[in-house]
Amino acid sequence: MQNSFTEENYLKIIHALSGRDGVEVSTNALAESTSTRAASVTDMLRKLADKGLIHYKKYQGVTLTDSGEKVAIKVIRKHRLWEVFLVEKLGFGWDEVHDIAEELEHIPSEVLVEKLDAFLGHPKFDPHGDPIPDAKGNLTEPDYLILTDVHVGEKVLMMGVLDHAPSFLQHLDRSGITLGSVLEVREINEYDKSASVQINGGPTLFISLEVSKNLLVQRR
Amino acid sequence: MQNSFTEENYLKIIHALSGRDGVEVSTNALAESTSTRAASVTDMLRKLADKGLIHYKKYQGVTLTDSGEKVAIKVIRKHRLWEVFLVEKLGFGWDEVHDIAEELEHIPSEVLVEKLDAFLGHPKFDPHGDPIPDAKGNLTEPDYLILTDVHVGEKVLMMGVLDHAPSFLQHLDRSGITLGSVLEVREINEYDKSASVQINGGPTLFISLEVSKNLLVQRR
DNA sequence: TAAAAAATTTAGACTAACCTAAAAATATAT
DNA sequence: ATATATTTTTAGGTTAGTCTAAATTTTTTA
Ligand SMILES: [Mn+2]
Ligand SMILES: [Mn+2]
Ligand SMILES: [Mn+2]
Ligand SMILES: [Mn+2]
């Protein structure tokens, strides 16, 4: 039996909310993420449990089964590969591709995914720095720091974003911050935790805590 | 209001069955093409008529309105552009792409289509020789001949196929007949109308009437 | 041109995915 | 340890798209 568009979305969202430690996901959290009501979520959870895709005990929240995890990772692989295609081949901005990839990720056909992957040169990361699962379903989350964890004087590489909202990505564009940028923290304001950060050895910018919390970086 | 996946399919099929002269399409023909029952078609026709996408009078068959035609042509444009992408960029065979394009054709986003079109170099024909509507919705069907209309001694160019079935396309592959092949009709068998056809000045093959009827060609 | 056949529509149901409102279970706070 | 608040589930409905069976209209045949 094939999984529906909707079922795939639930699995993907459970995967995201469950995190690497596979913590239980609540009905309300899913209602929020799927933009539906808790009652609708309960209906779907019963269905996904019947299909063996999630572990579900009433009132106890859900986690993915191995089978559900597999499906979720396939969808994530497709989503991220299509995002690479849209940015690298079609010339979209990284702020424009998420919604289109939300649709493309549900196109079936294993062979399509593998040919796309080859066409793109087997990329390891998507345009937002998120890792792309391999064909076998291995997904390894690199352990990046958040910019707020970086001390004054340290130089780090910008590796990804936590917030994928177009407005946030556009803000980074205007600040000249892209994947691979070198960020040196020059000063941290005691009062509001805003930071002065030098970008690629060039201009120094003020970065609010709100922005710092969403920047994934790596020591060099 | 957006049109659903299903509505788009109905419009596309009505367009195909209605032909260039815009003849009425019957409920049964649509049931056949959509692999549904006549009663289901009637339901959908009422809906499409309510949305102003088709002309529908009970028992009289349907035709597209200008508005419905526009939608149908957009879907056809997307279908054929994606087929070009799959063959030219991903390396699929022309016999493998139709079903995948059936899914991709429903991905929304005008800008995606236009960027894809540009990426592909604004192709005029899809891998089966079918013309690709332009961004404004102009679709001009070239008036090709069918191979059965070609007389002995004539040389023609292979320009397209009427049957898109994988088995037919694979048969052409095995015969060495592709878009652009030069076909010279050497002999036509009186009894079964099979033809001896020389391919690209090379080997001469027997071609059954069944095959001839599905080959679109052009005099040079 | 009336009867028979074929095509089409209507009537009544079903499933997937959603909803609101009410009931039940769990968690929190006095 | 209750009472209150929060979360989750259940009950009962809706819509889109499908179905079968029956009724109706159109077409064909005699
Ligand atoms: Mn995304
Ligand atoms: Mn991404
Ligand atoms: Mn096709
Ligand atoms: Mn085609």
Side-chain angles (χ1 to χ4, degrees), chain A residues 174-195:
Chain A
R174 284 190 301 271
S175 308
I177 298 173
T178 60
L179 291 193
S181 291
V182 177
L183 309 183
E184 180 177 347
V185 178
R186 308 296 286 272
E187 199 183 337
I188 293 175
N189 187 311
E190 289 293 322
Y191 174 65
D192 64 359
K193 309 291 186 209
S194 66

Side-chain angles (χ1 to χ4, degrees), chain A residues 31-96:
Chain A
E32 168 78 23
S33 287
T34 56
S35 299
T36 61
R37 301 312 187 128
S40 308
V41 171
T42 300
D43 284 348
M44 181 58 76
L45 293 183
R46 211 165 43 72
K47 187 194 304 185
L48 292 173
D50 288 348
K51 293 179 93 173
L53 296 165
I54 60 171
H55 299 293
Y56 174 50
K57 268 189 219 130
K58 282 202 273 187
Y59 296 100
Q60 305 312 148
V62 296
T63 55
L64 294 176
T65 62
D66 287 355
S67 158
E69 176 88 0
K70 243 185 213 169
V71 175
I73 285 180
K74 276 187 188 176
V75 176
I76 291 165
R77 173 166 161 81
K78 289 194 278 182
H79 182 103
R80 293 179 182 170
L81 283 173
W82 280 116
E83 284 191 342
V84 173
F85 169 73
L86 294 171
V87 168
E88 296 298 318
K89 302 295 183 178
L90 296 196
F92 278 96
W94 68 342
D95 57 312
E96 303 176 304

Side-chain angles (χ1 to χ4, degrees), chain A residues 9-210:
Chain A
N9 277 333
Y10 269 84
L11 295 173
K12 192 183 51 156
I13 290 169
I14 293 167
H15 177 91
L17 296 179
S18 198
R20 36 238 141 277
D21 38 340
V23 71
E24 264 86 27
V25 178
S26 74
T27 299
N28 267 356
L30 285 169
E32 168 78 23
S33 287
T34 56
S35 299
T36 61
R37 301 312 187 128
S40 308
V41 171
T42 300
D43 284 348
M44 181 58 76
L45 293 183
R46 211 165 43 72
K47 187 194 304 185
L48 292 173
D50 288 348
K51 293 179 93 173
L53 296 165
I54 60 171
H55 299 293
Y56 174 50
K57 268 189 219 130
K58 282 202 273 187
Y59 296 100
Q60 305 312 148
V62 296
T63 55
L64 294 176
T65 62
D66 287 355
S67 158
E69 176 88 0
K70 243 185 213 169
V71 175
I73 285 180
K74 276 187 188 176
V75 176
I76 291 165
R77 173 166 161 81
K78 289 194 278 182
H79 182 103
R80 293 179 182 170
L81 283 173
W82 280 116
E83 284 191 342
V84 173
F85 169 73
L86 294 171
V87 168
E88 296 298 318
K89 302 295 183 178
L90 296 196
F92 278 96
W94 68 342
D95 57 312
E96 303 176 304
V97 297
H98 181 78
D99 290 349
I100 299 175
E102 283 295 306
E103 311 277 338
L104 288 165
E105 72 187 4
H106 302 292
I107 302 287
S109 174
E110 297 279 331
V111 55
L112 172 61
V113 184
E114 299 322 316
K115 281 184 187 277
L116 178 64
D117 184 41
F119 177 62
L120 298 173
H122 305 288
K124 296 272 171 294
F125 299 94
D126 86 358
H128 311 102
D130 293 312
I132 298 174
D134 70 20
K136 288 176 211 119
N138 302 113
L139 171 55
T140 46
E141 299 280 352
D143 47 349
Y144 296 136
L145 304 175
I146 295 168
L147 188 58
T148 54
D149 295 337
V150 176
H151 303 112
V152 171
E154 280 191 292
K155 269 191 194 171
V156 293
L157 279 177
M158 152 67 173
M159 299 302 288
V161 292
L162 284 177
D163 185 357
H164 291 197
S167 60
F168 175 63
L169 301 174
Q170 286 158 16
H171 176 69
L172 296 183
D173 282 341
R174 284 190 301 271
S175 308
I177 298 173
T178 60
L179 291 193
S181 291
V182 177
L183 309 183
E184 180 177 347
V185 178
R186 308 296 286 272
E187 199 183 337
I188 293 175
N189 187 311
E190 289 293 322
Y191 174 65
D192 64 359
K193 309 291 186 209
S194 66
S196 292
V197 176
Q198 186 177 33
I199 316 296
N200 290 320
T204 296
L205 297 172
F206 274 102
I207 291 183
S208 70
L209 176 62
E210 199 51 34

Side-chain angles (χ1 to χ4, degrees), chain B residues 40-105:
Chain B
S40 310
V41 172
T42 300
D43 284 349
M44 181 58 75
L45 294 184
R46 212 163 44 70
K47 188 195 303 187
L48 293 173
D50 287 350
K51 292 179 94 172
L53 295 166
I54 60 172
H55 298 291
Y56 175 49
K57 269 189 219 131
K58 282 203 274 190
Y59 296 99
Q60 305 312 152
V62 295
T63 55
L64 294 176
T65 60
D66 287 354
S67 159
E69 176 87 3
K70 243 186 211 166
V71 175
I73 285 181
K74 276 188 188 175
V75 176
I76 291 165
R77 173 167 163 81
K78 288 193 278 182
H79 182 102
R80 294 180 181 170
L81 284 173
W82 280 115
E83 283 190 344
V84 173
F85 169 73
L86 293 171
V87 168
E88 297 296 318
K89 301 295 183 177
L90 296 196
F92 278 97
W94 67 341
D95 57 313
E96 303 175 305
V97 296
H98 181 77
D99 290 351
I100 299 175
E102 282 295 306
E103 310 277 338
L104 288 166
E105 73 188 3

Side-chain angles (χ1 to χ4, degrees), chain B residues 25-37:
Chain B
V25 178
S26 77
T27 300
N28 268 355
L30 285 169
E32 168 79 23
S33 287
T34 55
S35 300
T36 62
R37 301 313 187 124

